[in-house]
Amino acid sequence: MSIVANNPALTSWVNVPEKSDFPIQNIPFGIIKVNGESARVASRIGDQAIDIKALFVLGYLENLPFSLADFDSCTLNTMMMKGKEGTRKLRERLSKLFSEGSSDLKGKEHHVDQVLISMDQVEMLMPIDIRDYTDFYSSEQHAFNVGCLFRDPDNALLPNWKHIPVGYHGRASSIIVSGQAIHRPKGQKKPPTADVPVFGQSNLLDFELETVFFTYQGKPLGDTISTEEADDYIFGMALFNDWSARDVQGWEYVPLGPFLGKSFASSVSPWIVTIDALEPFRVSGPSQEDPKILPYLEYSGDKHIDINLDVIIQPETGHENVVGRSNYRHMYWNMNQQLAHHTVNGCNINCGDAMGSGTISGPEVGMYGSMLEISWKGTKPFQMSDGTERKFINDGDTVIMRGYSESDGVRIGFGEVSTKVLPAK
Ligand code: MN
């Protein structure tokens, strides 16, 4: 597969600051709103949003399988219905239009003024209408750490873990876009020293450092998607903070799993980075020979991706503190395996479904993706630069996640997902 837009030698006539997450090799997709105008489909280069609706109206997207309605929209779903072939052609066209060597749009100031919008004038909206949200649990170190903390270090992984990409169905409608604050959740919990449960605000509010991928329209109910076919059904990825109220979760989760400890919010970054843009950063995954996985989960080629992931706590008055530094390559199960497993029973997949990775923890201390692990269940508080400490998240804290891939001098970034925690209502 040769994707011209990924050529590391490409440069753009649009200024791209050094260390930008959005060089011409990225071309992510999102939904923007500017002043009083209606929401629309956009991309981004450097610190400029690209108004794709305006490009269409001006005639720069001819001979592509899209209509105005695909871009004059408050979600990416309609555009995504054109499938991988459609969005790949669109990304290639955008790459060509904004490449240094192309004179189609370059220099036509009366058109450029309508198409490029400085990011400081842009409001980013929730990019996708998510109807179904599935959360996996696919980082071995995370599953191991949680097993050590709550069960038995000698049998930390449950017997099914290396056979099944474990997952559950989450709540899609409480997924929010970066920048929207949340209130500390309340709920029922049973403190270890109490005989009966109590009701109150969660005192063990936690983040989960995750990525999420979004699907194209899948197959009908009853059909399955193989690991080999999965590439054609995955549109792109974003950063994902899958909030958790550990005290609520700890009391409620037996026997049916996560419920109110999870459903109050999950936060997503606003730019969807396509899998096409991430292809140059593919890496191999772990051996799955011991135990040997079932044939329907086997795959060929490199299906993991090298994505650096940082999670940061910024107190209300204070500097950013990096509390965890992980990488998506540490996953045990990759997206192809997750999608194959999800559909192996005939479960359908729709355009815009969200699939969370599960908390991504790396193999060493300092690479953990939740405060539960970082503070080791509150026994090892994290020392903040302002002299305070954190076991979990305080009111007024903003949790920020950033991520990027880098090789051959090209950095493909995700921007950030940032969420402030307000006091309980
Ligand atoms: Mn999760």
Side-chain angles (χ1 to χ4, degrees):
M1 171 177 42
S2 163
I3 301 174
V4 180
N6 290 346
N7 181 354
L10 287 179
T11 54
S12 176
W13 50 266
V14 179
N15 177 52
V16 177
E18 211 175 319
K19 289 279 170 195
S20 171
D21 278 352
F22 304 100
I24 191 164
Q25 288 84 358
N26 193 334
I27 317 275
F29 293 97
I31 298 291
I32 62 167
K33 195 163 163 48
V34 184
N35 297 323
E37 295 182 39
S38 58
R40 60 199 57 199
V41 173
S43 184
R44 176 171 175 172
I45 290 189
D47 295 330
Q48 305 285 319
I50 300 169
D51 183 338
I52 298 180
K53 178 191 164 191
L55 273 179
F56 184 91
V57 170
L58 293 168
Y60 288 99
L61 302 180
E62 281 174 3
N63 303 314
L64 292 175
F66 294 96
S67 63
L68 179 60
D70 297 325
F71 306 126
D72 188 10
S73 173
C74 60
T75 72
L76 297 175
N77 297 57
T78 323
M79 180 195 88
M80 288 163 63
M81 283 301 286
K82 298 296 191 297
K84 186 148 207 154
E85 209 179 319
T87 57
R88 177 175 288 171
K89 282 181 183 161
L90 176 60
R91 182 168 168 269
E92 296 278 20
R93 177 70 61 88
L94 295 174
S95 168
K96 188 162 174 288
L97 281 171
F98 291 94
S99 287
E100 188 61 62
S102 164
S103 55
D104 293 347
L105 177 61
K106 181 184 176 184
K108 300 200 171 103
E109 291 309 324
H110 57 298
H111 284 178
V112 173
D113 286 350
Q114 294 175 63
V115 168
L116 292 183
I117 307 154
S118 175
M119 279 302 298
D120 53 26
Q121 295 176 43
V122 168
E123 181 190 355
M124 298 301 304
L125 304 185
M126 184 71 195
I128 291 181
D129 178 21
I130 303 168
R131 287 165 56 197
D132 275 304
Y133 159 44
T134 303
D135 193 23
F136 287 95
Y137 189 60
S138 293
S139 149
E140 181 173 359
Q141 189 67 48
H142 174 68
F144 175 83
N145 288 345
V146 172
C148 289
L149 285 166
F150 291 98
R151 288 187 302 271
D152 171 11
D154 292 328
N155 296 289
L157 291 183
L158 286 168
N160 63 359
W161 199 87
K162 287 201 166 179
H163 296 280
I164 289 177
V166 170
Y168 73 97
H169 290 291
R171 185 154 186 89
S173 62
S174 58
I175 298 178
I176 57 173
V177 74
S178 177
Q180 183 177 340
I182 63 167
H183 286 274
R184 177 176 297 275
K186 295 176 286 192
Q188 188 180 137
K189 56 211 176 152
K190 188 172 165 296
T193 52
D195 294 327
V196 292
V198 297
F199 175 81
Q201 68 170 38
S202 169
N203 293 321
L204 308 182
L205 178 60
D206 200 357
F207 56 78
E208 289 187 339
L209 174 62
E210 300 195 20
T211 58
V212 61
F213 73 86
F214 296 98
T215 58
Y216 292 110
Q217 184 61 33
K219 296 181 182 178
L221 196 68
D223 286 3
T224 61
I225 295 172
S226 68
T227 57
E228 184 151 356
E229 294 168 320
D231 285 333
D232 291 335
Y233 292 92
I234 303 173
F235 169 57
M237 298 175 74
L239 303 169
F240 197 59
N241 179 353
D242 194 26
W243 293 97
S244 300
R246 300 293 180 196
D247 37 7
V248 175
Q249 191 179 1
W251 170 233
E252 76 177 357
Y253 86 103
V254 179
L256 286 188
F259 188 30
L260 304 188
K262 301 290 301 177
S263 61
F264 59 96
S266 307
S267 310
V268 67
S269 56
W271 291 110
I272 314 301
V273 177
T274 63
I275 293 296
D276 277 355
L278 294 166
E279 287 295 345
F281 310 97
R282 293 281 193 187
V283 289
S284 62
S287 164
Q288 296 178 328
E289 293 293 328
D290 182 26
K292 192 166 172 51
I293 56 173
L294 286 166
Y296 80 92
L297 291 168
E298 288 173 359
Y299 64 96
S300 56
D302 290 344
K303 290 300 168 199
H304 287 58
I305 307 179
D306 180 4
I307 306 173
N308 299 291
L309 298 167
D310 281 0
V311 54
I312 292 137
I313 298 176
Q314 180 166 31
E316 185 127 52
T317 55
H319 298 292
E320 293 187 358
N321 292 248
V322 177
V323 297
R325 189 156 269 179
S326 187
N327 192 302
Y328 182 69
R329 69 187 303 157
H330 298 308
M331 301 286 285
Y332 189 80
W333 302 105
N334 59 50
M335 290 180 277
N336 296 53
Q337 293 178 305
Q338 290 170 336
L339 200 54
H341 182 66
H342 202 309
T343 58
V344 78
N345 65 343
C347 176
N348 56 328
I349 297 292
N350 286 304
C351 179
D353 283 358
M355 312 268 172
S357 59
T359 308
I360 304 164
S361 293
E364 289 165 38
V365 173
M367 300 180 177
Y368 295 167
S370 67
M371 288 308 293
L372 178 70
E373 297 162 88
I374 292 165
S375 76
W376 209 249
K377 218 176 170 181
T379 60
K380 297 175 185 169
F382 184 89
Q383 302 301 318
M384 302 277 283
S385 60
D386 63 2
T388 62
E389 56 182 40
R390 289 292 182 283
K391 297 173 179 172
F392 290 90
I393 301 302
N394 289 2
D395 288 350
D397 285 351
T398 298
V399 175
I400 304 164
M401 294 171 182
R402 301 198 181 103
Y404 68 94
S405 299
E406 194 164 31
S407 76
D408 282 338
V410 175
R411 173 192 168 111
I412 301 292
F414 288 79
E416 64 179 33
V417 54
S418 168
T419 311
K420 185 173 183 178
V421 174
L422 305 174
K425 270 190 179 171

